């Protein structure tokens, strides 16, 4: 059981370097992951931005490119997928319906595993997917899946969002039948105003 996370950046003794930490003990960074001390960067759990191994790997790669190759890439956390390996599995990327409503007119699409052939064959009666799109542009703002293989299924949506996010990035590709990936297509095909 995991009930939360706290920083252990204090083990690094950042105060000895002049690097500032926030009120929760995480190392303060800017959009390039630079700390408050020139030439010192903080990636991964130490900065508290996205506490996932895959996010830390991306951050480290970005910092390496910025430092070694003179790039000036900013960190974008808006398309960071995450998963919970529970039963049922849960995976999500982007905004929730509630968060999206604050700044966007939205469309919401839902589909159950049992609405696709593979889900029906698996006798999966509880799993579902939910898509959240910006109404005017059809840009995917968020996607959420609860059910078998959710962490693997969310990757298609993550790739689409990282490539611009229009639903065409998903729907223009042919989906294998019968396969669980049809759940993504089904959710995007059931859009209603949210």
């Amino acid at each position: 059981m995991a009930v939360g996370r706290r920083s252990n950046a204090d083990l690094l003794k950042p105060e000895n370097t002049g690097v500032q930490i926030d009120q929760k003990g995480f190392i303060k960074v800017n959009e390039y992951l630079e700390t408050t001390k020139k030439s010192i960067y903080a990636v991964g759990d130490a900065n508290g931005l996205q506490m996932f191994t895959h996010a830390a790997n991306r951050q480290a790669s970005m910092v390496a490119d910025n430092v070694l190759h003179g790039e000036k890439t900013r960190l974008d956390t808006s398309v960071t997928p995450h998963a919970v390996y529970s039963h049922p599995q849960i995976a999500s990327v982007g905004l929730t319906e509630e968060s999206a409503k604050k700044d966007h007119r939205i469309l919401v699409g839902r589909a159950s595993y049992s609405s696709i052939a593979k889900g029906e064959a698996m006798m999966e009666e509880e799993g579902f997917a939910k898509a959240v799109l910006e109404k005017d542009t059809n840009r995917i703002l968020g996607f959420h899946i609860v059910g078998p293989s959710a962490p693997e299924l969310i990757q298609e949506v993550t790739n689409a969002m990282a490539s611009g996010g229009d639903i065409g990035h998903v729907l223009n590709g042919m989906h294998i039948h019968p396969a669980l990936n049809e759940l993504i297509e089904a959710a995007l095909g059931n859009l209603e105003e949210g």
Side-chain angles (χ1 to χ4, degrees), residues 87-163:
H87 183 76
Q89 293 181 344
I90 303 167
S92 184
V93 63
L95 300 176
T96 64
E97 180 179 354
E98 293 76 27
S99 296
K101 280 182 181 180
K102 292 177 185 173
D103 298 317
H104 306 275
R105 292 182 20 199
I106 64 169
L107 298 171
V108 177
R110 294 176 176 85
S112 63
Y113 277 67
S114 61
S115 70
I116 61 169
K118 179 73 172 188
E120 187 176 10
M122 293 170 61
M123 295 185 281
E124 176 56 45
E125 297 179 7
E126 296 178 1
F128 65 93
K130 181 182 192 181
V132 181
L133 277 69
E134 185 174 54
K135 183 177 180 183
D136 299 330
T137 64
N138 278 338
R139 184 169 57 98
I140 302 168
L141 300 173
F143 208 96
H144 316 279
I145 305 172
V146 176
S149 301
E152 290 80 15
L153 292 171
I154 204 71
Q155 191 62 51
E156 178 179 12
V157 180
T158 301
N159 291 346
M161 290 174 71
S163 298

Side-chain angles (χ1 to χ4, degrees), residues 161-184:
M161 290 174 71
S163 298
D166 184 278
I167 62 172
H169 287 94
V170 174
L171 297 180
N172 290 341
M174 194 179 304
H175 288 74
I176 295 170
H177 175 81
L180 285 180
N181 64 27
E182 290 180 301
L183 182 67
I184 308 300

Side-chain angles (χ1 to χ4, degrees), residues 16-30:
N16 293 341
T17 65
V19 168
Q20 292 180 1
I21 58 173
D22 67 17
Q23 68 277 9
K24 293 183 179 178
F26 294 106
I27 296 173
K28 288 184 178 182
V29 294
N30 65 13

Side-chain angles (χ1 to χ4, degrees), residues 45-58:
D45 292 0
N47 64 36
L49 296 177
Q50 295 282 335
M51 298 175 74
F52 309 110
T53 302
H54 53 276
N57 292 342
R58 177 61 61 98

